[in-house]
Amino acid sequence: MTISTYIVKPKLPNALKPLEEIARNLWLSWNFDAVQLFIRLDYDCWLQSQQSPVRTLGMVSQERLVQAARDDSYLAALEEVYTRFQKYKKGETWYRGPRKDVVAYFSMEYGMDVSLPIYSGGLGILSGDHMKTSSDMGLPLVGVGLLYRQGYFTQALNADGFQQEKYPENDWYNMPVELKVDKNGEPVKISVDMAGRQASAQIWEVKVGRSSLFLLDTNIEENAPDIRNVTAALYGGDKETRIQQEILLGIGGIRALRALGINPAAAHMNEGHAAFLALERIREIMTEKGFSFYEALEAVWPTNIFTTHTPVPAGNERFDTGLLEKYFKGWTEILGISWKDFLALGREHPEDDHENFCMTVLALKCAAYANGVARLHGVVSRGMWKGLWPALPLDEIPIHHVTNGVHPRTWVSSPMNDLLDRYFGPHFDEEPTDLAIWNRMDRISDEELWRTHERRRERLVAFARSRIRDHLKRTGAVERKVQQAEDALSPYVLTLAFARRFATYKRGNLLLRDPERLIRLLKDSERPIQLIFAGKAHPMDMPGKELIREIIHFAEKNDVQSRIVFIENYDMGVAQYLTSGADVWLNTPRRPMEASGTSGMKAAMNGVLNCSIMDGWWDEAYSPEVGWAIGHGEQYQDEKLQDDIESKELYDLLERDIIPLFYQRGRDNLPREWIKRMKTCMREIGQSMSSHRMLMDYSNNFYFPALKNYRRIIKDDYAESKALAAYLSKLRAAWNNLRISKVESNVRPVMQRGDFLTVTAHIDLAGMGPDELQVELYYGAVSNQGRDIRGALRTEMKPLRQEENEWLYQVRIECSETGQQGHTVRILPKHEALVHPYRTGLIKWA
């Protein structure tokens, strides 16, 4: 059968033409007045379109469009929104520098709006907020990802509470994406090699305010059926599909930007999925400049940024050598290195021929800048990857942290945003990087804040009831039971929410461990609580699915379905109801397995108080004024013991603190102390966990230095990179012969504070110049066992003179701290082109 294809677009009256532009820019996802334009057109169409502005325009009748074009009130609202939209795109931004060279931000998923379902959870939501914030700040950044035909699955529970998955097909021509075409109107395409076959991909653009996200799509006729399926589903298929997707994302993503005329001067790998981009960037320079692999690596390394999101070794992507050989054996000839050297790029222990190839290791070895996503996660990551720098003290492992943040305009509910706008002023919207604006929270009256929050709780309860009715009807419940959905939850009861991916380490059932105690709280006649759960388990995670089923059965068995509900198909839309309408946000992971988590940040910016294990972002954000901590950051070997202790602590917090505080009302029926915490929470978290703070951190610490490195490197036609590669080659050849033969000092058994310590080191440089090595005195308080120096200080020692075959290095320091002190000497690489001296992992101690 031959099918002729064509595109049909809605026929908009001239007066409504701006709707098309607004609908196709995700700026509307954080501007509710823009969303209301589509709701006003036809509310039923809006719901049937699953809240897709583009699809809504195609569903609204022509008669209704004509009516709207004659409606003065509607046209005035449209003009106001469109004027603000144009002002936003053209206005001044935080970043005002050059835009010729960009940072290319790579992520496997992006969660920006319910109308573009190409995300599964936290990683995607973070990426979406990253793009929106980049737009707000005017950063020279573009996003790169994949366009999934099916996206992630939709969740439905059967009558027994067991999760079932459906994979609806996405209709790109009714979504906010646009196919990129060349001057002849033909789709712009790139190709990548996949095990000897060429896989072609076309490129789609998503407009995100001022920014652009480019998505690659292999579902085109010229590809074989299995290649067309590479972008069929997010996290679908087997390991082979996964490596194909990651080849397309990393290698194909760089090629896509080139095909669009965009220069990725720096690249940010958001998780290891995109790490193959480093190989493509190296290949480009080798081809263009005739460099060796190692010369090209030194040109790319200073311009790569890597963010790890995984706090456990098993969560890092690994491929066995057989699969890697199938797809990358040909790259050894392209790169001019041996197969063993290629595998070493992804191995912690290159000498181990049985070690699989790890994408995180590849990213860490190819990026000058690396970070975890919370302060605690930075500590965990340095411990996890210490094997790459075995001689380096743990606190110097070059993995830093940038704590995640959330985009306030997206996640603060519209009524709450309106309230903040009234009291914060236009500055809040126009200059989102001025985080001190949140200090104006105290200007808001208790009555207005509480009234706004209560309206959101009422909306949440109404939404939950609607979802419960839909579920009961779909599963064939009798009408009497469907009617009981009207009694589910209460808009006046203390509401706790637990919403996140259902994985066993997140312990969604922790509150169920003492059924009698929980039921007593749920059924208390004077001070009851109610629980709302939501979240998806991975399709292959049977224990995660059983957690969901356990919650459903618990509610039915104990006749508390009106107090414990589970909302199906957790997505951005559900999240916005929960994070703004709950009173308490529960988070109960096993520390330290939560890298960051961001749902609690969204809740906090809406005045929802967190009650959480001291893990992820909460470990650094918690104070008694903004919420509650379960425990004090303990870690356990015995998981059952941990669950017993921490569940009891949670019950104690509820009974002794949370519930009494919520129901403590004055004559005006306002919980004044609770509201005081809400205000403090919003003020503190609004500043510290804003995605604008996050992007300022990334920009100042990574993006701007990486772009500066790029401009410096190309200024002398990559001569600096070539010189650095030659230096490192010389250093590696000499390293084993480098020797600290003697360390002398004027130290006495007892020194007085204020005394000066002079240390001299005798070093055989093994042919290296004295200015080619960084010799440091490493000193500080010695541990009780005398095995290490805690909180060490480092001072560079200067070359004094040469004596025969050795150089003398010396330094003089003041004894400023009391107690048992100690010192030693170490040698590190030193070259002006090194971003940091830990590039090679080489370090020599006395």
Side-chain angles (χ1 to χ4, degrees):
M1 181 171 62
T2 302
I3 299 176
S4 298
T5 62
Y6 48 90
I7 297 170
V8 177
K9 291 187 175 183
K11 186 179 179 181
L12 295 178
N14 287 334
L16 301 185
K17 290 290 186 184
L19 283 174
E20 177 76 16
E21 185 180 350
I22 294 170
R24 292 189 173 276
N25 192 309
L26 289 180
W27 173 84
L28 66 75
S29 69
W30 68 93
N31 288 274
F32 189 67
D33 54 350
V35 173
Q36 284 181 312
L37 293 173
F38 299 90
I39 295 174
R40 284 181 64 179
L41 272 180
D42 190 316
Y43 184 62
D44 290 335
C45 287
W46 173 254
L47 293 180
Q48 291 170 26
S49 74
Q50 297 180 319
Q51 301 179 38
S52 169
V54 176
R55 186 176 287 118
T56 296
L57 290 181
M59 294 173 66
V60 174
S61 69
Q62 198 64 36
E63 181 183 7
R64 174 64 189 121
L65 292 174
V66 171
Q67 284 179 350
R70 296 171 179 168
D71 183 338
D72 291 346
S73 171
Y74 187 86
L75 292 178
L78 173 57
E79 182 181 5
E80 182 180 347
V81 170
Y82 190 65
T83 299
R84 196 158 60 82
F85 177 44
Q86 295 301 320
K87 180 181 177 183
Y88 173 87
K89 290 197 297 181
K90 298 173 184 176
E92 283 195 350
T93 60
W94 178 79
Y95 176 79
R96 300 174 186 178
R99 301 182 179 279
K100 178 184 175 185
D101 306 313
V102 304
V103 176
Y105 177 79
F106 287 71
S107 185
M108 200 74 162
E109 52 175 300
Y110 290 87
M112 290 178 290
D113 189 60
V114 291
S115 66
L116 190 63
I118 55 170
Y119 63 95
S120 71
L123 181 70
I125 300 299
L126 175 75
S127 302
D129 281 4
H130 201 105
M131 292 300 303
K132 294 174 185 180
T133 310
S134 173
S135 168
D136 287 345
M137 295 169 61
L139 293 175
L141 181 145
V142 297
V144 180
L146 303 182
L147 190 72
Y148 301 102
R149 194 170 76 240
Q150 295 177 332
Y152 205 50
F153 70 89
T154 59
Q155 176 197 53
L157 304 186
N158 65 16
D160 190 44
F162 189 76
Q163 174 182 293
Q164 298 172 314
E165 299 88 26
K166 295 180 180 178
Y167 294 86
E169 296 271 327
N170 287 319
D171 176 10
W172 302 127
Y173 296 96
N174 278 308
M175 289 184 174
V177 296
E178 181 180 349
L179 186 65
K180 298 302 291 181
V181 296
D182 60 22
K183 60 184 179 182
N184 298 317
E186 295 298 318
V188 177
K189 296 178 183 177
I190 57 94
S191 66
V192 294
D193 179 85
M194 288 192 180
R197 296 188 298 164
Q198 288 298 303
S200 296
Q202 57 190 7
I203 307 163
W204 299 75
E205 181 181 10
V206 180
K207 291 183 170 63
V208 189
R210 302 179 179 97
S211 301
S212 290
L213 166 64
F214 299 103
L215 303 171
L216 279 71
D217 170 25
T218 60
N219 185 29
I220 51 181
E221 289 185 4
E222 61 205 71
N223 286 328
D226 61 319
I227 298 296
R228 295 184 70 163
N229 283 332
V230 169
T231 54
L234 171 61
Y235 304 138
D238 54 13
K239 275 288 187 182
E240 186 149 14
T241 302
R242 195 62 169 259
I243 198 171
Q244 290 172 339
Q245 289 183 336
E246 296 185 6
I247 289 169
L248 182 64
L249 176 64
I251 298 172
I254 292 291
R255 294 179 184 178
L257 295 178
R258 296 293 185 202
L260 295 170
I262 297 170
N263 178 34
H268 183 178
M269 298 167 274
N270 190 42
E271 252 313 352
H273 308 126
F276 289 138
L277 70 80
L279 304 180
E280 174 63 10
R281 298 188 76 205
I282 289 168
R283 183 201 65 79
E284 285 184 331
I285 293 174
M286 291 178 66
T287 302
E288 180 184 347
K289 300 296 177 184
F291 278 15
S292 70
F293 170 81
Y294 295 103
E295 291 168 338
L297 173 59
E298 299 314 326
V300 166
W301 178 76
T303 64
N304 278 342
I305 302 117
F306 170 59
T307 298
T308 175
H309 292 259
T310 311
V312 291
N316 293 277
E317 188 82 83
R318 287 178 168 85
F319 297 114
D320 66 64
T321 53
L323 185 60
L324 201 73
E325 184 173 7
K326 178 178 178 180
Y327 284 89
F328 281 95
K329 190 62 181 288
W331 274 77
T332 58
E333 185 175 341
I334 294 170
L335 301 177
I337 58 176
S338 69
W339 180 238
K340 187 176 181 66
D341 286 343
F342 184 93
L343 291 175
L345 294 170
R347 284 175 168 169
E348 278 189 85
H349 309 287
E351 69 283 355
D352 181 0
D353 291 335
H354 300 289
E355 183 181 339
N356 286 339
F357 189 94
C358 178
M359 296 296 283
T360 303
V361 173
L362 174 62
L364 286 169
K365 289 185 176 182
C366 293
Y369 306 97
N371 69 282
V373 290
R375 184 176 63 193
L376 177 61
H377 184 234
V379 174
V380 171
S381 297
R382 286 189 288 275
M384 191 187 314
W385 301 111
K386 179 174 168 49
L388 295 175
W389 298 273
L392 201 60
L394 194 62
D395 62 351
E396 291 185 78
I397 300 295
I399 302 175
H400 309 284
H401 82 273
V402 174
T403 302
N404 285 343
V406 298
H407 188 251
R409 285 274 161 187
T410 296
W411 294 106
V412 175
S413 71
S414 177
M416 189 65 77
N417 258 322
D418 290 343
L419 182 65
L420 298 181
D421 282 337
R422 278 205 311 277
Y423 284 92
F424 289 5
H427 197 65
F428 181 50
D429 181 42
E430 294 168 0
E431 295 195 36
T433 53
D434 183 6
L435 303 177
I437 199 79
W438 288 90
N439 289 325
R440 297 181 179 180
M441 275 304 304
D442 289 334
R443 297 183 179 184
I444 302 174
S445 69
D446 289 358
E447 290 82 359
E448 283 190 278
L449 182 61
W450 187 245
R451 193 160 56 243
T452 302
H453 177 65
E454 285 197 307
R455 284 201 299 269
R456 292 309 303 169
R457 193 189 314 114
E458 290 167 3
R459 291 289 304 277
L460 170 59
V461 169
F463 172 75
R465 288 172 177 173
S466 174
R467 282 297 188 95
I468 294 167
R469 276 197 307 273
D470 292 345
H471 165 75
L472 292 172
K473 289 178 180 178
R474 196 190 68 250
T475 54
V478 297
E479 185 60 28
R480 178 181 55 80
K481 194 168 184 181
V482 173
Q483 291 300 320
Q484 288 176 352
E486 297 300 330
D487 297 325
L489 306 176
S490 165
Y492 311 109
V493 167
L494 173 61
T495 304
L496 285 68
F498 180 98
R500 51 194 25 89
R501 182 166 58 91
F502 265 76
T504 52
Y505 81 87
K506 292 179 182 282
R507 298 188 295 178
N509 60 349
L510 189 66
L511 202 51
L512 310 184
R513 286 188 70 81
D514 189 337
E516 291 183 7
R517 200 170 177 184
L518 176 57
I519 292 167
R520 191 163 62 247
L521 296 177
L522 293 167
K523 293 186 175 182
D524 189 298
S525 60
E526 295 183 357
R527 301 188 306 183
I529 68 170
Q530 57 194 10
L531 302 173
I532 302 179
F533 291 90
K536 299 176 180 179
H538 188 279
M540 304 302 291
D541 183 5
M542 294 306 295
K545 292 183 177 183
E546 281 301 317
L547 281 179
I548 297 173
R549 190 166 168 270
E550 180 184 348
I551 291 167
I552 303 297
H553 282 218
F554 180 94
E556 292 177 351
K557 177 183 175 182
N558 296 286
D559 193 26
V560 287
Q561 296 102 315
S562 65
R563 286 284 184 258
I564 296 180
V565 302
F566 188 98
I567 298 178
E568 294 172 303
N569 201 34
Y570 185 46
D571 63 5
M572 290 184 70
V574 176
Q576 286 167 330
Y577 277 101
L578 287 168
T579 55
S580 64
D583 298 300
V584 175
W585 197 258
L586 280 179
N587 187 32
T588 53
R590 296 191 192 283
R591 176 184 166 112
M593 297 181 71
E594 186 92 315
S596 172
T598 56
S599 62
M601 301 175 190
K602 299 159 192 162
M605 288 188 191
N606 281 284
V608 178
L609 304 181
N610 277 260
C611 179
S612 174
I613 298 292
M614 294 287 282
D615 198 10
W617 75 280
W618 193 239
D619 182 69
E620 63 195 84
Y622 165 73
S623 73
E625 293 76 31
V626 301
W628 295 273
I630 304 169
H632 303 280
E634 301 90 347
Q635 291 176 218
Y636 298 81
Q637 296 298 318
D638 185 331
E639 291 186 353
K640 183 179 182 304
L641 175 65
Q642 178 182 13
D643 292 347
D644 287 341
I645 291 173
E646 292 180 342
S647 64
K648 288 175 182 175
E649 287 199 46
L650 177 52
Y651 287 123
D652 288 345
L653 280 173
L654 286 168
E655 293 170 345
R656 299 175 186 175
D657 197 348
I658 298 174
I659 295 173
L661 190 69
F662 180 83
Y663 286 105
Q664 179 185 323
R665 309 292 173 102
R667 293 174 63 184
D668 56 7
N669 200 35
L670 292 177
R672 297 280 183 180
E673 289 301 314
W674 187 279
I675 296 169
K676 181 180 178 181
R677 288 203 189 195
M678 288 175 64
K679 288 184 176 180
T680 304
C681 176
M682 294 174 73
R683 181 176 63 246
E684 298 299 321
I685 305 306
Q687 295 182 70
S688 64
M689 298 300 156
S690 164
S691 55
H692 298 91
R693 185 274 309 152
M694 176 181 76
L695 261 291
M696 285 190 283
D697 286 349
Y698 273 115
S699 297
N700 291 324
N701 297 331
F702 301 150
Y703 292 168
F704 297 163
L707 290 172
K708 184 179 179 181
N709 293 341
Y710 171 79
R711 294 178 186 121
R712 189 186 67 246
I713 288 167
I714 65 169
K715 188 175 182 180
D716 59 2
D717 202 27
Y718 295 90
E720 178 186 280
S721 304
K722 199 163 187 174
L724 178 57
Y727 163 77
L728 292 176
S729 177
K730 176 184 176 183
L731 180 69
R732 290 187 179 99
W735 191 257
N736 288 336
N737 295 318
L738 275 173
R739 191 168 61 93
I740 304 172
S741 61
K742 184 165 56 174
V743 177
E744 301 171 321
S745 73
N746 64 337
V747 69
R748 303 184 303 275
V750 178
M751 303 285 285
Q752 300 292 319
R753 176 185 280 168
D755 288 350
F756 284 90
L757 177 68
T758 300
V759 180
T760 305
H762 299 250
I763 300 177
D764 182 349
L765 300 184
M768 301 294 292
D771 57 344
E772 293 182 312
L773 297 169
Q774 184 163 314
V775 180
E776 294 180 339
L777 183 69
Y778 185 87
Y779 61 100
V782 178
S783 65
N784 290 335
Q785 295 179 329
R787 294 177 181 173
D788 53 42
I789 296 175
R790 297 170 301 182
L793 300 172
R794 311 192 311 271
T795 300
E796 186 173 359
M797 303 179 72
K798 299 298 183 182
L800 193 62
R801 62 180 178 274
Q802 185 174 13
E803 291 185 358
E804 298 181 352
N805 294 326
E806 293 184 335
W807 271 86
L808 273 60
Y809 285 74
Q810 193 174 86
V811 71
R812 185 171 180 258
I813 62 168
E814 183 179 358
C815 297
S816 57
E817 300 293 330
T818 61
Q820 187 179 26
Q821 303 289 306
H823 65 263
T824 187
V825 174
R826 68 182 190 177
I827 304 173
L828 291 163
K830 183 179 181 181
H831 192 281
E832 61 182 2
L834 280 173
V835 174
H836 58 71
Y838 314 124
R839 164 77 179 86
T840 61
L842 297 175
I843 181 170
K844 185 150 292 192
W845 295 87

